[in-house]
Amino acid sequence: MQQVCLLFAGRRGLDDFSTRHSVLRIPEVSRKLKTAQIILDNLLGETGSYDLLSHTMAADDVFSSQPSMRSLIAATVQVGLFDRFVRFHNRPQYLIGHLGGASALKVCSQQISLEEFISECELVKGKPALQEESTLLTGLSLEEYGAAIWNSESGLYEFCDTQSKDAIKIIETLSNENLINQCIHVGPCFDFHVADFKRKGLYHVPSLSSIDMDPILNSFWKSA
């Protein structure tokens, strides 16, 4: 029996224009971005104007130059991909993702609504986004990760205590305790995560991309 954890990607997977163009072709993603746009417009009113779809299709240097927009779009894309995943698969036993900032984990585990999520984002609150690139240069992670477990009786995810706040260490612990035997990556960040797994010596947990697992998405993704 497959015991699956689902790992939400970081922001790096959307840094390439062709990847952003491809994810917008996924119905659940484009619908989620449009919903996020409506919520964002209602929250900001006349105080500001941001176009999420236009920014997604901007040139790479423009897209990367606004970390707050980049974070919000990346997390919203992950929520859309999660919605598609659970349409065609059993819900994974565990969800793993970062807890601060633009956290797709909190939305997908139903700890907060999409509207609450957007109301707390940097674009609305005016707080600077974490610079993920600087953490890569130092080899350190400034983001704390957490895990939520599916409770079949309540039909909800519940956050569980983890000794580590590092995603790979959480996955390793769950694997060593025979609680999971597969990791599925949500978001176009699969190659980055697999490289991190290898760099940190996590070889024994098979990894798959939710996009590659989807026969419809896979058919156009590889040719995009």
Side-chain angles (χ1 to χ4, degrees):
M1 178 181 178
Q2 289 290 352
Q3 298 169 282
V4 173
C5 78
L6 193 151
L7 176 62
F8 290 100
R11 294 170 290 183
R12 290 173 287 172
L14 291 179
D15 286 350
D16 179 71
F17 174 82
S18 62
T19 302
R20 299 196 299 277
H21 179 268
S22 294
V23 296
L24 287 183
R25 296 172 61 189
I26 302 171
E28 290 81 359
V29 170
S30 59
R31 284 198 297 267
K32 195 63 66 176
L33 281 169
K34 289 175 183 177
T35 300
Q37 182 70 61
I38 293 171
I39 295 171
L40 186 61
D41 289 344
N42 288 337
L43 288 170
L44 291 176
E46 298 180 355
T47 62
S49 177
Y50 299 97
D51 190 326
L52 299 180
L53 288 175
S54 293
H55 192 75
T56 303
M57 293 304 296
D60 289 342
D61 58 339
V62 176
F63 180 78
S64 299
S65 68
Q66 298 188 43
S68 297
M69 287 278 279
R70 179 174 172 238
S71 297
L72 175 59
I73 290 169
T76 305
V77 166
Q78 292 163 31
V79 174
L81 288 172
F82 174 82
D83 287 350
R84 183 174 180 88
F85 180 85
V86 296
R87 281 183 60 198
F88 300 108
H89 301 86
N90 293 329
R91 285 186 178 270
Q93 286 84 353
Y94 286 90
L95 302 180
I96 299 172
H98 64 82
L99 298 172
S103 173
L105 169 65
K106 290 183 178 179
V107 179
C108 295
S109 62
Q110 297 183 304
Q111 302 298 313
I112 60 174
S113 67
L114 184 64
E115 184 168 3
E116 290 171 326
F117 156 69
I118 295 174
S119 71
E120 291 296 317
C121 75
E122 291 90 351
L123 290 179
V124 175
K125 305 224 20 150
K127 296 182 294 185
L130 285 174
Q131 293 292 330
E132 186 173 286
E133 291 81 0
S134 63
T135 69
L136 292 173
L137 292 174
T138 61
L140 300 173
S141 174
L142 297 180
E143 296 184 341
E144 293 187 346
Y145 279 74
I149 184 172
W150 176 250
N151 185 324
S152 58
E153 293 184 359
S154 66
L156 296 170
Y157 280 101
E158 300 172 355
F159 274 90
C160 48
D161 292 331
T162 57
Q163 291 185 343
S164 175
K165 298 301 181 182
D166 177 80
I168 293 178
K169 289 182 180 178
I170 293 172
I171 293 169
E172 187 172 29
T173 298
L174 294 175
S175 173
N176 290 339
E177 294 177 356
N178 297 314
L179 298 174
I180 63 167
N181 53 28
Q182 188 179 68
C183 179
I184 297 172
H185 304 254
V186 172
C189 202
F190 178 63
D191 292 338
F192 292 112
H193 270 160
V194 170
D196 286 342
F197 278 26
K198 291 179 179 179
R199 181 170 57 85
K200 295 186 179 181
L202 184 63
Y203 296 99
H204 61 281
V205 181
S207 293
L208 292 170
S209 163
S210 67
I211 293 175
D212 289 340
M213 291 175 63
D214 190 313
I216 297 176
L217 298 186
N218 183 271
S219 65
F220 80 79
W221 190 264
K222 291 186 181 301
S223 62

